[in-house]
């Protein structure tokens, strides 16, 4: 069954240059981070360095557009960076990119190489469809702080992804909740690549094709469908 993804009119008005491409995959095989996945992350960091050519990640035009959009809905982009900028900053540091699990490593590698926010959700943990909305501030976001489960609420007007059970990701693509994360037990996932103008739609489409190829390589026999780009323009 195809997972429904909708973007609210409020978000479209906020970011008319927003485009997203979704990949739905069933029959995935996940596991711990591997040497092959680690090599992809190292290669992504090298590709990023070439792409930036000495610039800081936030100086890239696509990352600058995300910063402007974060500011527009009331977030401070220097404190709460979009996921691609945060990963890029890690990739260029001495610490390097984190190794999480194979599926997360694959989409993080694509995110860093293309400087595109990419997220992955476990379809079996999603309740109903997923919606990108401007929050009222009353929605529940279940997260973990200090080792304990806690409930937060987004700011009014904040852009969030949510399903029928609550918020799954705060500040657009800044912090994912643990409920729908991809784990080593995940077999069905939705992967979402998100871009803003001035990034060409062809580039986010190419990044999605690269991720789909990686998913097929590491999960032979998986049912993988790349959806056509959906734009707010």
């Amino acid at each position: 069954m195809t997972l429904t993804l909708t973007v609210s009119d409020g978000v479209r008005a906020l970011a008319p240059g927003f485009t997203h491409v979704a990949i739905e995959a069933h029959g995935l095989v996940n596991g711990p981070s591997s040497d092959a996945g680690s090599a992809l992350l190292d290669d992504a960091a090298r590709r990023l360095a070439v792409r930036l050519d000495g610039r800081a990640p936030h100086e890239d035009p696509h990352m600058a557009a995300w910063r402007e959009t974060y500011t527009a809905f009331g977030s401070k982009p220097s404190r709460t960076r979009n996921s691609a900028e945060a990963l890029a900053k890690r990739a260029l540091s001495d610490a390097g990119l984190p190794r999480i699990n194979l599926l997360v490593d694959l989409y993080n590698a694509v995110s860093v190489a293309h400087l595109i926010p990419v997220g992955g959700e476990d379809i079996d943990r999603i309740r109903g469809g997923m919606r990108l909305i401007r929050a009222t501030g009353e929605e529940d976001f279940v997260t973990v702080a200090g080792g304990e489960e806690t409930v937060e609420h987004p700011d009014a007007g904040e852009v969030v992804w949510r399903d029928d059970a609550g918020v799954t990701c705060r500040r657009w693509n800044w912090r994912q909740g643990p409920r729908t994360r991809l784990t080593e037990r995940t077999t069905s996932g939705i992967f979402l690549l998100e871009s803003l103008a001035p990034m060409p739609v062809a580039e986010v489409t190419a990044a999605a094709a690269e991720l789909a190829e990686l998913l097929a390589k590491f999960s032979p026999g998986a049912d993988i469908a790349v959806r056509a780009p959906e734009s707010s323009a």
Side-chain angles (χ1 to χ4, degrees):
M1 186 174 69
T2 300
L3 180 72
T4 301
L5 297 168
T6 57
V7 178
S8 73
D9 290 342
V11 173
R12 292 181 187 279
L14 176 75
F18 174 56
T19 298
H20 68 274
V21 180
I23 303 170
E24 186 167 340
H26 300 273
L28 294 169
V29 179
N30 200 8
S33 296
S34 65
D35 289 344
S38 188
L40 286 170
L41 289 168
D42 289 340
D43 181 61
R46 288 190 290 269
R47 291 167 67 185
L48 172 69
V50 171
R51 182 188 193 94
L52 291 174
D53 192 24
R55 295 173 298 167
H58 70 267
E59 295 176 301
D60 176 85
H62 190 216
M63 296 297 93
W66 276 105
R67 283 193 164 216
E68 290 175 7
T69 301
Y70 268 49
T71 300
F73 66 77
S75 290
K76 295 181 178 179
S78 60
R79 293 179 56 190
T80 56
R81 297 177 176 87
N82 75 80
S83 64
E85 184 183 332
L87 277 175
K89 192 174 177 63
R90 285 284 302 270
L92 298 173
S93 73
D94 291 340
L97 288 165
R99 273 59 172 167
I100 309 297
N101 60 54
L102 180 58
L103 289 177
V104 175
D105 293 349
L106 295 183
Y107 78 69
N108 278 349
V110 171
S111 175
V112 168
H114 291 270
L115 264 186
I116 295 173
V118 183
E121 309 277 353
D122 189 322
I123 289 177
D124 293 331
R125 295 169 178 263
I126 295 169
R127 301 293 172 256
M130 291 186 63
R131 308 184 291 283
L132 187 65
I133 64 166
R134 303 289 301 271
T136 65
E138 298 179 357
E139 297 87 353
D140 288 343
F141 177 70
V142 180
T143 186
V144 176
E148 299 290 333
E149 187 174 283
T150 184
V151 178
E152 298 177 355
H153 302 283
D155 299 327
E158 181 182 324
V159 177
V160 299
W161 278 102
R162 68 158 301 162
D163 64 3
D164 290 350
V167 172
T168 57
C169 195
R170 284 199 60 189
R171 296 195 176 105
W172 208 313
N173 47 43
W174 166 65
R175 177 182 290 171
Q176 184 184 28
R179 172 170 59 89
T180 58
R181 284 178 184 161
L182 302 179
T183 71
E184 292 182 19
R185 297 181 298 278
T186 296
T187 58
S188 294
I190 188 83
F191 301 85
L192 195 64
L193 298 88
E194 302 179 302
S195 69
L196 295 170
M199 175 167 278
V201 174
E203 184 157 358
V204 68
T205 302
E210 182 178 333
L211 178 54
E213 289 176 5
L214 289 172
L215 293 173
K217 176 182 177 180
F218 286 91
S219 293
D223 181 7
I224 300 167
V226 181
R227 302 187 192 176
E230 294 190 25
S231 176
S232 296

